[in-house]
Amino acid sequence: WLKIEHPAYSSLPRLASTVCAMAAPMLELAYVPLIIWLPLLFMQCMAATYGGRGMQNMVRSITGLLVDTAVNAVLKIVWIVMLVLCLDCARNAFMNRGNGNSGDNSSSLAVFEQYAAREGVLVWGMNLVCMMAIPTVHSLNGEAIKLERDRDIMKRQAEQQGAFAKQLLGESSDKKVDKAVPKETPMPEKKEDEAEGEVRKRAD
C-alpha cells in the first residue's frame, strides 16, 4: 500500500476539529437545556388550555423552583451567556465563506462551518425563547389565579351584603306594617253596666 504523506492531508483532521469548534461553540451542550425547557413549556400550555386550577397549581409548583427561587438569578446569567453564543453563531452564519463548489478542502470546511453556525443559531435561539416564555407564562398564570380568587371573594362579600340588606328591608317593612294597622280601642263596659243599673233602679 502506498502511503501518501502530504502536509495538507496530515493537518486535515486537526483543521476540521478546529473549524467545528469555532463554528458552533458548545453546540453539544445547547441540546441539554432543551430537555428541560420544552417539556416545561408544553406542560404550561396544556395546563393553561385544557387543565383546571389544580393542574395549573401543580405545574406552577414545578416552575416556581426555577422562577421564584434564587435559581432565577443564575438562569439570567446563563441566558446572557446563551445570547452571546447565539450572536456569535449568527455572525458566523452570515459571513460569506464561498459556495464549496471549487473542490478545495478549505472551502468545503468553510461551508460546513457556516451550516454548523446556522444550527447553533437555531438551537441557542430556541433556548433563549423557552427561557423567556416559561417565566412569562408562570407569572401570567399566577395573576389569573389571583384575579379569580379576588373575584370569588368580592362575589361572596356582595352576596353577604345583599342578604343583610334583604334582612334589614324585611325588618323595616314589618315595623311599617305594625305602625300602619290601627290599634283596637277597648269598649267601655263599665259605663254600660252602670247605666243598666240606674235604669233598673228607676224601674223599681
Side-chain angles (χ1 to χ4, degrees), residues 16-64:
S17 60
T18 304
V19 167
C20 293
M22 292 175 59
M26 300 173 64
L27 186 58
E28 307 84 28
L29 298 178
Y31 290 95
V32 177
L34 290 178
I35 301 174
I36 302 173
W37 309 141
L38 292 178
L40 282 178
L41 188 59
F42 179 76
M43 290 171 60
Q44 285 182 329
C45 294
M46 294 298 293
T49 305
Y50 302 105
R53 291 304 180 193
M55 186 175 180
Q56 292 177 7
N57 289 326
M58 183 187 68
V59 176
R60 289 191 78 252
S61 64
I62 299 174
T63 56

Side-chain angles (χ1 to χ4, degrees), residues 7 9 133 156 162 170 181 188 194:
Y9 293 105
R156 194 178 302 113
V181 175
E194 292 177 358

Side-chain angles (χ1 to χ4, degrees), residues 187-202:
M187 298 298 293
E189 297 178 355
K190 294 182 179 180
K191 293 183 179 180
E192 291 180 356
D193 294 338
E194 292 177 358
E196 289 179 357
E198 290 179 358
V199 171
R200 289 177 182 176
K201 287 179 180 180
R202 292 177 183 179

